[in-house]
Coordinates of all heavy atoms in Angstrom, one line a residue:
Q1309 N 54.0 231.4 182.3 CA 53.4 232.5 181.4 C 53.7 232.1 180.0 O 54.8 231.8 179.6 CB 54.0 233.8 181.8 CG 53.4 235.0 181.2 CD 53.8 236.2 181.8 OE1 53.6 236.4 183.0 NE2 54.2 237.2 181.1
N1310 N 52.7 232.3 179.2 CA 52.8 232.1 177.7 C 53.2 230.6 177.3 O 53.8 230.4 176.3 CB 53.7 233.1 177.1 CG 53.3 234.5 177.3 OD1 52.1 234.8 177.0 ND2 54.2 235.3 177.7
A1311 N 52.8 229.7 178.2 CA 53.1 228.3 177.9 C 52.1 227.8 176.8 O 50.9 228.2 176.8 CB 53.0 227.4 179.1
E1312 N 52.5 226.8 176.0 CA 51.6 226.3 175.0 C 50.4 225.5 175.7 O 49.3 225.6 175.2 CB 52.3 225.3 174.1 CG 51.5 224.8 172.9 CD 52.2 223.9 172.0 OE1 53.4 224.2 171.8 OE2 51.7 223.0 171.5
Q1313 N 50.7 224.9 176.8 CA 49.6 224.1 177.5 C 49.3 224.7 178.8 O 48.4 225.5 179.0 CB 50.0 222.6 177.5 CG 50.0 222.0 176.2 CD 50.3 220.5 176.2 OE1 50.4 219.9 177.3 NE2 50.3 219.9 175.0
T1314 N 50.0 224.3 179.9 CA 49.7 224.7 181.3 C 50.9 225.4 181.9 O 52.0 225.0 181.8 CB 49.4 223.4 182.1 OG1 48.3 222.8 181.5 CG2 49.0 223.8 183.5
G1315 N 50.6 226.6 182.5 CA 51.6 227.4 183.2 C 52.2 226.7 184.4 O 53.4 226.5 184.4
I1316 N 51.4 226.2 185.3 CA 51.9 225.5 186.5 C 51.1 224.2 186.5 O 49.9 224.1 186.5 CB 51.6 226.2 187.8 CG1 52.2 227.6 187.8 CG2 52.0 225.4 189.0 CD1 51.7 228.5 188.9
R1317 N 51.9 223.0 186.3 CA 51.2 221.7 186.2 C 51.7 220.8 187.3 O 52.9 220.6 187.4 CB 51.5 221.2 184.8 CG 50.8 219.9 184.5 CD 51.1 219.3 183.1 NE 50.2 218.3 182.7 CZ 50.3 217.0 183.0 NH1 51.3 216.6 183.8 NH2 49.4 216.2 182.5
V1318 N 50.8 220.1 187.9 CA 51.1 219.0 188.9 C 50.6 217.7 188.3 O 49.4 217.5 188.2 CB 50.6 219.3 190.3 CG1 51.0 218.2 191.2 CG2 51.1 220.6 190.8
S1319 N 51.5 216.9 187.9 CA 51.1 215.6 187.2 C 50.4 214.7 188.2 O 50.6 214.7 189.4 CB 52.4 214.9 186.7 OG 52.1 213.6 186.3
D1320 N 49.6 213.7 187.7 CA 48.9 212.8 188.5 C 49.9 211.7 189.1 O 49.6 211.0 190.0 CB 47.8 212.0 187.8 CG 48.3 211.3 186.6 OD1 49.4 211.4 186.2 OD2 47.5 210.5 186.0
T1321 N 51.1 211.7 188.7 CA 52.2 210.8 189.2 C 53.1 211.6 190.2 O 54.0 210.9 190.8 CB 53.0 210.2 188.1 OG1 53.6 211.3 187.4 CG2 52.2 209.4 187.2
A1322 N 52.9 212.8 190.4 CA 53.7 213.6 191.4 C 53.4 213.0 192.8 O 52.3 212.5 193.1 CB 53.3 215.0 191.4
N1323 N 54.4 213.1 193.7 CA 54.2 212.6 195.0 C 54.6 213.7 196.0 O 55.7 213.7 196.5 CB 55.1 211.3 195.2 CG 54.8 210.7 196.6 OD1 53.9 211.0 197.3 ND2 55.7 209.8 197.0
A1324 N 53.7 214.6 196.2 CA 54.0 215.7 197.1 C 52.8 215.9 198.1 O 51.7 215.6 197.8 CB 54.1 217.0 196.3
N1325 N 53.1 216.5 199.2 CA 52.0 216.7 200.2 C 51.2 218.0 199.9 O 50.0 218.0 199.9 CB 52.7 216.8 201.6 CG 51.6 217.0 202.7 OD1 50.6 216.3 202.7 ND2 51.8 218.0 203.5
R1326 N 51.9 219.1 199.5 CA 51.3 220.3 199.4 C 51.9 221.2 198.3 O 53.1 221.2 198.1 CB 51.3 221.1 200.7 CG 50.6 222.3 200.8 CD 50.7 222.9 202.2 NE 49.6 223.8 202.4 CZ 49.3 224.3 203.6 NH1 50.0 223.9 204.7 NH2 48.4 225.2 203.8
L1327 N 51.1 222.0 197.6 CA 51.6 223.0 196.7 C 51.1 224.4 197.2 O 49.9 224.5 197.5 CB 51.1 222.8 195.3 CG 51.3 223.9 194.2 CD1 52.8 224.0 193.9 CD2 50.5 223.7 193.0
R1328 N 52.0 225.4 197.3 CA 51.6 226.7 197.6 C 52.0 227.6 196.5 O 53.1 227.7 196.0 CB 52.3 227.2 198.9 CG 51.8 226.5 200.1 CD 52.4 227.1 201.3 NE 51.8 226.5 202.5 CZ 52.3 226.7 203.7 NH1 53.4 227.4 203.9 NH2 51.7 226.1 204.7
V1329 N 51.0 228.4 196.0 CA 51.2 229.4 194.9 C 50.9 230.7 195.5 O 49.7 230.9 195.9 CB 50.3 229.1 193.7 CG1 50.5 230.1 192.6 CG2 50.6 227.7 193.1
R1330 N 51.8 231.6 195.6 CA 51.6 232.9 196.2 C 52.2 234.0 195.4 O 53.3 233.9 194.9 CB 52.3 233.0 197.6 CG 51.7 232.1 198.6 CD 52.4 232.3 200.0 NE 51.8 231.4 201.0 CZ 52.3 231.2 202.1 NH1 53.5 231.6 202.4 NH2 51.7 230.4 203.0
D1331 N 51.4 235.1 195.4 CA 51.9 236.4 194.8 C 52.4 236.2 193.4 O 53.6 236.7 193.0 CB 53.0 237.0 195.7 CG 52.5 237.2 197.1 OD1 51.5 237.8 197.3 OD2 53.2 236.8 198.0
V1332 N 51.7 235.6 192.5 CA 52.1 235.4 191.1 C 51.0 235.9 190.1 O 49.8 236.0 190.5 CB 52.4 233.9 190.8 CG1 53.5 233.3 191.6 CG2 51.1 233.0 191.0
L1333 N 51.5 236.2 188.9 CA 50.6 236.5 187.8 C 50.8 235.3 186.8 O 51.9 235.1 186.3 CB 51.0 237.8 187.2 CG 50.3 238.1 185.9 CD1 48.8 238.2 186.0 CD2 50.8 239.4 185.3
V1334 N 49.7 234.6 186.5 CA 49.8 233.5 185.6 C 48.9 233.8 184.5 O 47.7 234.0 184.6 CB 49.3 232.2 186.3 CG1 49.4 231.0 185.3 CG2 50.2 231.9 187.5
Q1335 N 49.4 234.0 183.3 CA 48.6 234.5 182.2 C 49.0 233.9 180.8 O 50.2 233.5 180.6 CB 48.7 236.0 182.1 CG 50.0 236.6 181.8 CD 50.0 238.1 181.8 OE1 49.0 238.8 182.0 NE2 51.2 238.7 181.5
N1336 N 48.1 233.9 179.9 CA 48.3 233.6 178.5 C 48.8 232.2 178.2 O 49.6 232.0 177.3 CB 49.2 234.6 177.8 CG 48.7 236.0 177.9 OD1 47.5 236.3 177.8 ND2 49.6 237.0 178.1
N1337 N 48.3 231.2 179.0 CA 48.7 229.8 178.8 C 47.6 229.2 178.0 O 46.4 229.4 178.2 CB 48.9 229.1 180.2 CG 50.1 229.8 180.9 OD1 51.2 229.6 180.5 ND2 49.8 230.5 182.0
G1338 N 48.0 228.3 177.1 CA 47.1 227.7 176.1 C 45.9 227.0 176.7 O 44.8 227.2 176.3
Y1339 N 46.2 226.1 177.7 CA 45.1 225.3 178.3 C 44.7 225.8 179.7 O 43.5 226.1 179.9 CB 45.4 223.8 178.3 CG 45.5 223.2 176.9 CD1 46.6 222.4 176.6 CD2 44.6 223.5 175.9 CE1 46.7 221.8 175.3 CE2 44.7 223.0 174.6 CZ 45.7 222.1 174.3 OH 45.8 221.6 173.1
N1340 N 45.6 225.8 180.6 CA 45.3 226.1 182.0 C 46.4 227.0 182.6 O 47.6 226.8 182.3 CB 45.1 224.9 182.8 CG 44.0 224.0 182.4 OD1 42.8 224.3 182.5 ND2 44.3 222.9 181.8
G1341 N 46.0 227.9 183.5 CA 47.0 228.6 184.2 C 47.7 227.7 185.3 O 48.9 227.6 185.4
L1342 N 46.8 227.0 186.1 CA 47.2 226.0 187.1 C 46.4 224.8 186.8 O 45.2 224.8 186.8 CB 47.0 226.6 188.5 CG 47.1 225.6 189.6 CD1 48.6 225.0 189.7 CD2 46.7 226.2 190.9
G1343 N 47.1 223.6 186.7 CA 46.4 222.4 186.5 C 47.0 221.4 187.5 O 48.1 221.1 187.6
V1344 N 46.1 220.8 188.4 CA 46.4 219.8 189.3 C 45.6 218.6 188.9 O 44.4 218.6 188.8 CB 46.0 220.2 190.8 CG1 46.3 219.1 191.7 CG2 46.8 221.4 191.2
Y1345 N 46.3 217.5 188.6 CA 45.7 216.3 188.1 C 45.8 215.1 189.1 O 46.8 214.8 189.6 CB 46.4 215.9 186.8 CG 46.3 216.9 185.7 CD1 47.2 218.0 185.7 CD2 45.3 216.9 184.8 CE1 47.1 219.0 184.7 CE2 45.1 217.9 183.9 CZ 46.1 219.0 183.8 OH 45.9 220.0 182.9
G1346 N 44.7 214.4 189.3 CA 44.6 213.3 190.1 C 44.8 213.7 191.6 O 44.8 214.8 192.0
D1347 N 45.1 212.6 192.4 CA 45.3 212.9 193.8 C 46.8 212.9 194.1 O 47.3 212.2 195.0 CB 44.7 211.7 194.6 CG 43.2 211.9 194.7 OD1 42.7 213.0 194.7 OD2 42.4 210.9 194.8
S1348 N 47.5 213.7 193.3 CA 49.0 213.8 193.5 C 49.4 214.7 194.7 O 50.5 214.6 195.1 CB 49.5 214.4 192.2 OG 48.8 215.6 191.9
L1349 N 48.4 215.5 195.2 CA 48.7 216.3 196.4 C 47.6 216.1 197.4 O 46.5 215.6 197.1 CB 48.6 217.8 196.0 CG 49.5 218.3 194.9 CD1 49.0 219.7 194.5 CD2 50.9 218.4 195.4
N1350 N 47.9 216.4 198.7 CA 46.9 216.4 199.7 C 46.2 217.7 199.8 O 45.1 217.8 200.2 CB 47.5 216.1 201.1 CG 48.1 214.6 201.2 OD1 47.4 213.7 200.6 ND2 49.2 214.5 201.8
K1351 N 46.9 218.8 199.4 CA 46.4 220.1 199.6 C 47.1 221.1 198.6 O 48.3 220.9 198.4 CB 46.5 220.6 201.0 CG 46.0 222.0 201.2 CD 46.2 222.4 202.7 CE 45.7 223.8 203.0 NZ 44.3 223.9 203.2
F1352 N 46.3 222.0 198.1 CA 47.0 223.1 197.4 C 46.3 224.4 197.7 O 45.1 224.5 198.0 CB 47.2 222.9 195.9 CG 45.9 223.0 195.0 CD1 45.6 224.3 194.5 CD2 45.2 221.9 194.7 CE1 44.5 224.4 193.6 CE2 44.1 222.0 193.8 CZ 43.7 223.3 193.3
D1353 N 47.2 225.5 197.9 CA 46.8 226.8 198.3 C 47.2 227.8 197.2 O 48.3 227.7 196.7 CB 47.5 227.3 199.6 CG 47.3 226.3 200.7 OD1 46.2 225.9 201.0 OD2 48.4 225.9 201.2
V1354 N 46.3 228.7 196.9 CA 46.6 229.8 196.0 C 46.2 231.1 196.7 O 45.1 231.2 197.1 CB 45.8 229.7 194.6 CG1 46.2 230.8 193.7 CG2 46.1 228.3 194.0
E1355 N 47.2 232.0 196.9 CA 47.0 233.2 197.6 C 47.5 234.4 196.9 O 48.6 234.3 196.3 CB 47.6 233.1 199.0 CG 47.0 232.0 199.8 CD 47.7 231.9 201.2 OE1 48.5 232.8 201.5 OE2 47.4 231.0 201.9
N1356 N 46.8 235.5 196.9 CA 47.3 236.8 196.4 C 47.8 236.7 195.0 O 48.9 237.1 194.7 CB 48.4 237.4 197.3 CG 47.9 237.5 198.8 OD1 46.8 237.9 199.0 ND2 48.8 237.1 199.7
S1357 N 47.1 236.0 194.1 CA 47.5 235.8 192.8 C 46.5 236.1 191.7 O 45.3 236.2 192.1 CB 47.9 234.3 192.6 OG 49.0 234.0 193.5
E1358 N 46.9 236.3 190.5 CA 46.0 236.6 189.4 C 46.2 235.6 188.3 O 47.3 235.3 187.9 CB 46.3 238.0 188.8 CG 45.9 239.1 189.7 CD 46.2 240.5 189.1 OE1 45.4 240.8 188.2 OE2 47.1 241.1 189.4
F1359 N 45.1 235.1 187.7 CA 45.1 234.2 186.6 C 44.3 234.9 185.5 O 43.1 235.1 185.6 CB 44.5 232.9 187.0 CG 45.3 232.1 188.0 CD1 45.2 232.4 189.3 CD2 46.1 231.1 187.6 CE1 46.0 231.7 190.2 CE2 46.8 230.4 188.5 CZ 46.8 230.7 189.8
L1360 N 45.0 235.2 184.4 CA 44.3 236.0 183.3 C 44.6 235.4 181.9 O 45.7 234.9 181.6 CB 44.9 237.4 183.3 CG 44.9 238.2 184.6 CD1 45.6 239.5 184.5 CD2 43.4 238.5 185.0
N1361 N 43.5 235.3 181.2 CA 43.6 234.9 179.8 C 44.2 233.5 179.6 O 45.0 233.3 178.6 CB 44.3 235.9 178.9 CG 44.1 235.8 177.5 OD1 43.0 235.4 177.0 ND2 45.1 236.0 176.7
N1362 N 43.9 232.5 180.4 CA 44.3 231.2 180.2 C 43.2 230.3 179.6 O 42.0 230.6 179.9 CB 44.7 230.6 181.6 CG 45.9 231.3 182.2 OD1 47.0 231.2 181.7 ND2 45.6 232.1 183.3
G1363 N 43.5 229.3 178.8 CA 42.6 228.5 178.3 C 42.0 228.9 176.9 O 41.1 228.3 176.4
A1364 N 42.7 229.8 176.3 CA 42.2 230.3 175.0 C 42.4 229.3 173.9 O 41.7 229.3 172.9 CB 42.9 231.6 174.6
A1365 N 43.3 228.4 174.0 CA 43.6 227.5 172.9 C 42.5 226.5 172.7 O 42.3 226.0 171.6 CB 44.9 226.7 173.2
N1366 N 41.8 226.1 173.8 CA 40.7 225.1 173.6 C 39.7 225.4 174.7 O 39.3 224.6 175.5 CB 41.3 223.7 173.9 CG 40.4 222.6 173.4 OD1 39.4 222.9 172.7 ND2 40.7 221.4 173.8
G1367 N 39.2 226.6 174.7 CA 38.3 227.1 175.7 C 37.0 226.4 175.9 O 36.4 226.5 177.0
S1368 N 36.6 225.5 175.0 CA 35.3 224.8 175.2 C 35.5 223.4 175.9 O 34.5 222.7 176.0 CB 34.6 224.6 173.9 OG 35.4 223.8 173.0
A1369 N 36.7 223.1 176.2 CA 36.9 221.7 176.8 C 37.2 221.7 178.3 O 37.8 220.8 178.8 CB 38.1 221.1 176.0
G1370 N 36.7 222.7 179.0 CA 36.9 222.7 180.4 C 38.2 223.4 180.8 O 38.6 223.3 182.0
D1371 N 38.9 223.9 179.9 CA 40.2 224.6 180.2 C 40.0 226.0 180.7 O 38.9 226.6 180.4 CB 41.1 224.6 178.9 CG 41.4 223.2 178.4 OD1 41.6 222.3 179.3 OD2 41.4 223.0 177.2
G1372 N 40.9 226.6 181.4 CA 40.8 227.9 181.9 C 41.9 228.3 182.9 O 43.0 227.8 182.8
D1373 N 41.5 229.1 183.8 CA 42.5 229.6 184.8 C 43.0 228.6 185.8 O 44.2 228.4 185.9 CB 42.0 230.8 185.5 CG 41.8 232.0 184.5 OD1 42.8 232.3 183.8 OD2 40.8 232.7 184.5
I1374 N 42.1 227.9 186.5 CA 42.5 226.9 187.5 C 41.7 225.6 187.2 O 40.5 225.6 187.1 CB 42.3 227.4 188.9 CG1 43.1 228.7 189.2 CG2 42.6 226.3 189.9 CD1 42.8 229.4 190.5
L1375 N 42.4 224.5 187.1 CA 41.8 223.2 186.9 C 42.3 222.2 188.0 O 43.5 222.1 188.2 CB 42.2 222.6 185.5 CG 41.8 221.2 185.2 CD1 40.3 221.1 185.0 CD2 42.5 220.7 184.0
A1376 N 41.3 221.5 188.6 CA 41.6 220.4 189.5 C 40.8 219.2 189.0 O 39.6 219.1 189.2 CB 41.1 220.8 191.0
F1377 N 41.5 218.4 188.2 CA 40.9 217.3 187.5 C 41.1 216.0 188.3 O 42.3 215.6 188.5 CB 41.5 217.2 186.1 CG 40.9 216.2 185.2 CD1 39.6 216.4 184.7 CD2 41.6 215.0 185.0 CE1 39.0 215.4 183.9 CE2 41.0 214.0 184.2 CZ 39.7 214.2 183.6
L1378 N 40.0 215.3 188.6 CA 40.0 214.1 189.4 C 40.8 214.3 190.7 O 41.5 213.4 191.2 CB 40.6 212.9 188.6 CG 39.8 212.5 187.3 CD1 40.6 211.5 186.5 CD2 38.4 212.1 187.7
Y1379 N 40.7 215.4 191.3 CA 41.4 215.8 192.5 C 40.4 215.7 193.7 O 39.3 216.3 193.6 CB 42.0 217.2 192.4 CG 42.6 217.7 193.6 CD1 43.9 217.2 194.0 CD2 42.0 218.6 194.5 CE1 44.5 217.7 195.1 CE2 42.6 219.1 195.6 CZ 43.9 218.6 195.9 OH 44.5 219.1 197.1
N1380 N 40.8 215.1 194.8 CA 39.9 214.9 196.0 C 40.5 215.5 197.3 O 40.0 215.3 198.3 CB 39.6 213.5 196.2 CG 38.8 212.9 195.1 OD1 37.7 213.4 194.8 ND2 39.3 211.9 194.4
G1381 N 41.6 216.3 197.1 CA 42.2 216.9 198.3 C 41.6 218.2 198.7 O 40.6 218.7 198.2
D1382 N 42.3 218.9 199.6 CA 41.8 220.3 200.1 C 42.4 221.4 199.2 O 43.5 221.2 198.6 CB 42.3 220.5 201.5 CG 41.7 219.5 202.5 OD1 40.5 219.1 202.3 OD2 42.4 219.2 203.4
V1383 N 41.6 222.4 199.0 CA 42.0 223.6 198.2 C 41.6 224.8 199.0 O 40.6 224.9 199.6 CB 41.2 223.6 196.9 CG1 41.6 224.9 196.1 CG2 41.5 222.4 196.1
T1384 N 42.6 225.8 199.1 CA 42.3 227.1 199.6 C 42.6 228.1 198.6 O 43.7 228.2 198.0 CB 43.2 227.3 200.9 OG1 43.0 226.4 201.9 CG2 43.0 228.7 201.4
L1385 N 41.6 229.0 198.3 CA 41.8 230.1 197.4 C 41.5 231.4 198.2 O 40.4 231.5 198.7 CB 40.8 230.0 196.2 CG 40.9 228.8 195.3 CD1 39.8 228.8 194.3 CD2 42.2 228.6 194.6
K1386 N 42.6 232.2 198.3 CA 42.4 233.4 199.1 C 43.0 234.6 198.3 O 44.1 234.6 197.9 CB 43.2 233.2 200.4 CG 43.1 234.4 201.3 CD 43.8 234.1 202.6 CE 43.7 235.2 203.6 NZ 44.4 235.0 204.8
N1387 N 42.1 235.6 198.1 CA 42.5 236.8 197.4 C 43.1 236.5 196.0 O 44.2 236.8 195.6 CB 43.6 237.6 198.2 CG 43.7 239.0 197.6 OD1 42.8 239.6 197.1 ND2 44.9 239.6 197.8
V1388 N 42.3 235.7 195.2 CA 42.6 235.3 193.9 C 41.7 235.9 192.9 O 40.5 235.9 193.0 CB 42.5 233.7 193.8 CG1 42.8 233.2 192.4 CG2 43.5 233.1 194.8
T1389 N 42.3 236.4 191.8 CA 41.5 237.0 190.7 C 41.6 236.1 189.5 O 42.7 235.7 189.1 CB 42.1 238.4 190.3 OG1 42.0 239.2 191.4 CG2 41.3 239.0 189.2
V1390 N 40.5 235.7 189.0 CA 40.4 234.8 187.8 C 39.6 235.5 186.7 O 38.7 236.3 187.0 CB 39.9 233.4 188.0 CG1 40.8 232.7 189.0 CG2 38.5 233.5 188.6

């Protein structure tokens, strides 16, 4: 929350199978609320969460609440407010 760039960030060099984000409020981050870059994960899930007012620092460059950049894995979004 209130990060200059990304609230929750998974780098393209991360080596993890899965990310689960549950029951969180992610807000007021400069570029993205959640950013997953490259094929660093096989799957990510976001459940019962809210993403508000993210991406205000550079809103015209594809930034915002949830970003999956060059990502080819599975995504589940369930009961998510953006």
